[in-house]
Amino acid sequence: MATTTTRSRRTDRLLAAATVLAAGAAAVLALLVAPPDAVQGQPQRLMYVHVPAAWLAYLSFAAVLVASVAHLVTRDLRWDRRARAAAELGVGMTALAIALGSIWGRPVWGAWWVWDPRLVTTVVLLLVYLGHLSVRGLGDDPATGARRAAAVGVIGFVNVPVVHFSVVWWRTLHQPASVLSPDPAPMDPRMATALGVAVLAFTLAGVLVVRRRLRVLAAAGPAEPAPAPLPSPVTGPLVVTPRIRP
Amino acid sequence: MTAAPARPPQAAPRRRVPLRLLLVAGVVLLTVGVLAVAGLQGSLVYYRTTSELLADPALQGERVRLGGLVVRGTVETTADGVRFELTDGVQDVPVVNTGQPRGVFQEGQGAVVEGVLGADGVFRSDVLLVKHDNEYRPPEDGTGRPAEDRG
């Protein structure tokens, strides 16, 4: 056990070092090496954080799907914790992608927000996974909460392709994807490199955050359903004491 | 969390709950999905093209969004806004917008306006959004630094 923890901590340190390196390289590439866009100018550089945030949200929700299926099959609460840690990251990244997109939209589109299918479906995605995190705490049986969360985690994933392909299926103000697209668009190689390294940096940081969060969750909650409360030493069979649950 | 009364021991069969839950969740999400798809395809098309607007007389006098490319050489600044033509490559619609354009509005680029097509064939709008494509490239002069690059 102790050696596992030590090895896990060492992996975290390596991951942290790789994250810092990738993030530093991404910052240099995105701010200094890549040219501004011919049409959009400097605000286009928001792409190097907006797109990786959206990518990491998709990746997190895919992890939620896998962990939720595993939990429904095994009923193991460790899978529930993995789903929860990934969903927390995904919700944060979805909110970040919306916020950064809004900041990008104001100078380029001329509006902070538009009722465009891509934007609306992304907010729905955020709400579904907030729901996934919320249903876990409804009721006081952790096993039931975990099952409900897993159900949302499986079914809610249909929203991910809906968000991603919203720009293809419907006519939107939001531009279609340039890279993860059935019809990739040309991009300056310096821009594409900066975007790739930024995606790598976000992914590494996400893995690190989820690993650390899992350790916190594992320390906070038991792996097994809570054992039956121990009988109080002073109470006999004839004494009734109200049991108070936290 | 407040104190809750002690629960009776769980004697209920535990297997039935997830199945029922999954069925309910499935029906709910399917309904939401069908509504979303129907809604988005029907009424939530973000904008109409110029050809669609001109082909549908019911849209005249209605407040709609109209999207297209800004025809080169048609942009004129007016006293209280901007005047230009939008095209989808087939039909051109003259647009008079109240308010100066924000965003990266320019000739040859996409734009979406919100307003009403008048009987005179002029689209009067008060919201002007810029639609840009998904191609990213450096400025034409090749230096990677546009002339106004500062800010």
Side-chain angles (χ1 to χ4, degrees):
Chain A
M1 197 64 194
T3 50
T4 316
T5 313
T6 315
R7 200 179 307 144
S8 174
R9 291 264 152 87
R10 189 173 305 145
T11 311
D12 276 5
R13 275 201 294 275
L14 280 172
L15 261 174
T19 304
V20 168
L21 276 176
V28 170
L29 288 168
L31 295 173
L32 301 173
V33 176
D37 182 65
V39 174
Q40 301 181 42
Q42 299 294 352
Q44 177 267 329
R45 293 187 197 277
L46 279 160
M47 179 177 80
Y48 307 121
V49 278
H50 172 76
V51 172
W55 151 257
L56 189 52
Y58 291 169
L59 188 67
S60 303
F61 296 145
V64 174
L65 172 68
V66 171
S68 295
V69 169
H71 173 74
L72 287 175
V73 171
T74 65
R75 295 292 153 86
D76 188 337
L77 284 180
R78 279 177 300 183
W79 283 113
D80 175 59
R81 290 201 293 266
R82 287 169 191 150
R84 178 177 166 185
E88 287 170 348
L89 177 66
V91 162
M93 286 300 115
T94 307
L96 183 66
I98 291 171
L100 292 168
S102 182
I103 297 169
W104 190 359
R106 179 60 183 79
V108 171
W109 294 344
W112 296 104
W113 175 263
V114 290
W115 292 101
D116 159 290
R118 166 56 78 77
L119 280 69
V120 173
T121 53
T122 308
V123 168
V124 171
L125 185 74
L126 180 68
L127 294 177
V128 164
Y129 282 90
L130 281 173
H132 163 87
L133 291 173
S134 308
V135 294
R136 189 176 276 107
L138 291 180
D140 50 6
D141 177 20
T144 309
R147 273 204 308 282
R148 288 174 181 162
V152 179
V154 172
I155 301 162
F157 191 77
V158 297
N159 280 282
V160 170
V162 170
V163 168
H164 188 69
F165 292 107
S166 57
V167 288
V168 179
W169 295 340
W170 302 300
R171 198 183 288 157
T172 62
L173 184 70
H174 193 289
Q175 74 275 28
S178 303
V179 183
L180 289 178
S181 160
D183 180 25
M187 192 189 289
D188 182 272
R190 289 164 294 175
M191 293 173 169
T193 308
L195 182 60
V197 176
V199 164
L200 176 70
F202 266 70
T203 309
L204 288 169
V207 172
L208 180 65
V209 164
V210 168
R211 285 173 57 91
R212 295 187 62 108
R213 180 65 176 145
L214 275 176
R215 274 214 295 280
V216 172
L217 290 177
E224 300 302 319
L230 294 170
S232 167
V234 287
T235 53
L238 297 177
V239 182
V240 178
T241 35
R243 274 184 289 170
I244 296 174
R245 285 170 188 278
Chain B
M1 281 305 228
T2 53
R7 284 172 303 159
Q10 289 215 336
R14 305 187 56 132
R15 281 279 155 202
R16 265 175 224 165
V17 181
L19 181 65
R20 202 179 55 201
L21 182 76
L22 282 173
L23 277 175
V24 171
V27 168
V28 167
L29 275 157
L30 197 70
T31 313
V32 170
V34 167
L35 282 175
V37 168
L40 287 169
Q41 280 179 334
S43 56
L44 283 184
V45 167
Y46 191 71
Y47 59 86
R48 322 256 175 179
T49 65
T50 49
S51 294
E52 285 169 359
L53 180 72
L54 296 180
D56 189 349
L59 292 177
Q60 200 186 80
E62 294 289 316
R63 189 172 170 86
V64 291
R65 292 195 196 96
L66 173 68
L69 289 176
V70 180
V71 180
R72 286 185 195 277
T74 61
V75 180
E76 273 175 57
T77 306
T78 61
D80 60 348
V82 63
R83 174 198 301 270
F84 55 92
E85 282 180 22
L86 275 181
T87 183
D88 62 355
V90 181
Q91 298 275 9
D92 294 5
V93 172
V95 176
V96 175
N97 185 69
T98 311
Q100 292 302 327
R102 301 189 296 198
V104 291
F105 178 81
Q106 52 181 269
E107 296 181 349
Q109 292 287 321
V112 175
V113 286
E114 204 173 310
V116 178
L117 179 67
D120 56 356
V122 175
F123 192 89
R124 286 177 184 80
S125 67
D126 50 18
V127 175
L128 170 54
L129 297 166
V130 173
K131 179 174 164 64
H132 59 85
D133 59 20
N134 58 345
E135 297 183 11
Y136 301 95
R137 61 177 77 75
E140 293 293 325
D141 62 18
T143 60
R145 301 275 157 188
E148 80 286 9
D149 180 9
R150 195 49 236 154

